[in-house]
Amino acid sequence: MKKILVVEDHKDSCLWITAVLRQCGFGALEAGDGAVAVRMAHSERPDLILLDWHLPAGGGAFVMENLRRQPETAVIPIIIMTGDPDVDLELMKSKGAWAVFTKPMDVHAFLNAIRRALEDKSLDAAQAVPCPPERESHGALVELLPG
């Protein structure tokens, strides 16, 4: 089972994301701030990190800088989640983001990006995952950033 670290300081959002992940067969770990996220990434070695950009105790940039400095965590793909419609894609790309989503997120696009990041290959539209909970989809993919 693939293990995904969800770094989100809004409890309702974190609960929704982890419920979707678990329903789709992923293991989900939770961190509510940047410092805890860095510690958990080192101790748990997740296969993927879903990272809110604005966090207490170190935001997304802090987390990414810390993780990219260590060889054992530098290779973990990171998908950014942000409520900021004016995101700085170049900054996020320079920090090593695999993809960036604005909140609220479209659940199918989000799950496809998660699977693509984990598999490191493109998904065909026919492979879209029909497993979100009853709550409706959220928002938009800002950009899949080239690796």
Side-chain angles (χ1 to χ4, degrees), residues 4-75:
I4 300 174
L5 175 58
V6 178
V7 187
E8 172 62 70
D9 60 323
H10 292 99
K11 195 64 176 162
D12 288 343
S13 294
C14 190
L15 289 172
W16 179 77
I17 293 166
T18 57
V20 169
L21 293 174
R22 289 179 179 134
Q23 186 174 5
C24 293
F26 298 112
L29 306 165
E30 301 173 29
D33 66 52
V36 171
V38 170
R39 284 194 305 273
M40 287 184 74
H42 285 284
S43 65
E44 297 291 335
R45 302 286 166 82
D47 298 293
L48 174 69
I49 298 172
L50 304 177
L51 178 63
D52 185 14
W53 192 246
H54 299 288
L55 294 165
F62 165 84
V63 172
M64 292 181 78
E65 287 168 5
N66 278 276
L67 297 180
R68 295 304 183 226
R69 277 189 236 149
Q70 302 298 318
E72 63 275 6
T73 56
V75 297

Side-chain angles (χ1 to χ4, degrees), residues 72-96:
E72 63 275 6
T73 56
V75 297
I76 300 170
I78 299 174
I79 295 177
I80 301 296
M81 308 174 295
T82 181
D84 182 357
D86 301 317
V87 295
D88 185 344
L89 290 174
E90 288 305 312
L91 173 65
M92 292 175 183
K93 182 178 178 180
S94 74
K95 301 284 184 199

